[in-house]
Amino acid sequence: MILTKMKSFIPSQKLMSEPKISIITATYNNGEFLADTIRSVLGQTYTNWEWIAVDNGSIDETQKIFSTYKDDRINYIRLPSNLGVSGGRNRALMEASGEFICFLDGDDLLPSESLKSRAQVLITEVDVDFVDGSVYSFTHTPSELTLEHKPSFSGNPLNELLNLNPNVFFGSTWMYRRKPTAYKFLDGMSHAEDLLFYISISNNGLYSHTDGCVLHYRRHQRSAMKNLDGLYAGYKVLIREVNKLEFVRPDQVVLLKRKVRSIMIKSFLRRMRFGQALRVLVERFD
C-alpha cells in the first residue's frame, strides 16, 4: 500500500480557523478523467480541506497522474487490490479528520463553490446534519450541462429516502457533520451503496440544502447507473439491509419494495428487456 502526501500548499491562519472538510474518493481506472477531477478540487474557493483519494489498485495512469499534483492537502492512498467503491470509501473514512465530510467519485467534478456553499449551511445552521445541493450532468464537456437534481426538502430525510424521493437523493452529494459514531458503507456493495449509507445515518438528523450546484456528474458508459443488473442486485441488498434497521417500520419497507419494483420494471422495459421486467414483477424481495 502506498500513501503519498502532496507538498506545497500552506494554509493561512484564517483558513485554519474554518472547519476542515474531508473529501472522500475511491477510484479505479479513472485515469482518463482524473486530471479534470483533481483540478476541480484544487479550484475550490473554500480551501481548508483534505482530500483522501483511495486508488483501488488501478492498472491505468492513476498513480502517475496523482504524482504530478503537489499539494499538502491531497492524501493519495494506493491499495494493492480493488476493495470496491464501498471498501475504498471505508478505507478513506478511516483517515478522515475533517469536521465535515463529503464524497467525490474519480470521474466527476466539483464546481468551484461546491465545498463553500454546503459548509456555510452547516456553519450557520447548527442543527443541520446533512447538506445537499443541485447536480448538473454532462457527457463530453462541462459546457453542456443538464440539470439532474434540485433538492427542495428540509427536515428529517429518512422517510423521503425510503420513498426514493429525488428531492433528497441523487447520489453521494451530501456533506455531513462528523459524529463520534464512525459511519461506514456496507463492504462489497457497489450499487445503491450511497442510498443505504444515507438511510443508515439519517434517523435522528436534519437535512437541508444550498441553492447552489454542488456536483457536475459525468455520464459515460462505465457509469454505475448504466448497469441495470448491478443496480437491481444493489436494490435487493438495500431492501435486505434496511429491513434489519430497528428504526425503520415494516410499512416503510413495504413502500420501499414497491418503489424499487416500479423503478426497475420501467428501467428494464425502456431497454426492451421484457423477461427481466417480468422477473422483477414477481420478485418477493425476501
Side-chain angles (χ1 to χ4, degrees), residues 260-270 277-278 280-281:
V260 167
R261 193 185 311 277
S262 175
I263 288 172
M264 293 310 307
I265 288 174
K266 291 175 182 177
S267 297
F268 281 123
L269 287 177
R270 280 195 293 268
L278 180 60
V280 177
L281 180 63

Side-chain angles (χ1 to χ4, degrees), residues 21-23 41 44-50 100 102 110-120 175 213-214:
I21 298 171
S22 295
I23 308 167
V41 175
Q44 292 300 296
T45 57
Y46 190 104
T47 52
N48 190 18
W49 50 262
E50 62 176 2
F100 306 150
C102 65
L110 293 181
S112 61
E113 297 285 315
S114 176
L115 297 184
K116 182 178 180 180
S117 62
R118 285 178 287 176
Q120 284 180 331
M175 180 180 289
C213 176
V214 301

Side-chain angles (χ1 to χ4, degrees), residues 34-172:
L34 265 177
D36 289 340
T37 301
I38 294 172
R39 285 193 291 267
S40 80
V41 175
L42 295 175
Q44 292 300 296
T45 57
Y46 190 104
T47 52
N48 190 18
W49 50 262
E50 62 176 2
W51 186 17
I52 306 167
V54 172
D55 176 2
N56 267 318
S58 297
I59 56 175
D60 62 0
E61 297 295 301
T62 292
Q63 184 175 359
K64 180 179 179 181
I65 292 168
F66 267 107
S67 70
T68 64
Y69 291 87
K70 309 301 180 183
D71 194 299
D72 222 9
R73 299 167 295 176
I74 302 177
N75 181 3
Y76 170 75
I77 302 173
R78 179 173 172 82
L79 301 181
S81 59
N82 191 347
L83 298 182
V85 62
S86 294
R89 286 174 181 169
N90 285 338
R91 178 63 182 83
L93 284 168
M94 291 171 60
E95 302 290 330
S97 62
E99 295 176 54
F100 306 150
I101 297 176
C102 65
F103 300 94
L104 174 65
D105 288 343
D107 51 356
D108 293 334
L109 308 176
L110 293 181
S112 61
E113 297 285 315
S114 176
L115 297 184
K116 182 178 180 180
S117 62
R118 285 178 287 176
Q120 284 180 331
V121 177
L122 289 172
I123 292 169
T124 59
E125 300 182 31
V126 295
D127 293 331
V128 168
D129 300 283
F130 321 111
V131 178
D132 201 357
S134 297
V135 177
Y136 286 77
S137 69
F138 69 99
T139 302
H140 302 293
T141 169
S143 64
E144 305 168 350
L145 292 171
T146 302
L147 179 64
E148 293 284 352
H149 170 62
K150 187 174 180 61
S152 58
F153 176 83
S154 295
N156 180 268
L158 176 61
N159 197 59
E160 304 300 313
L161 290 169
L162 293 169
N163 276 277
L164 303 185
N165 190 334
N167 285 335
V168 301
F169 178 75
F170 177 82
S172 52

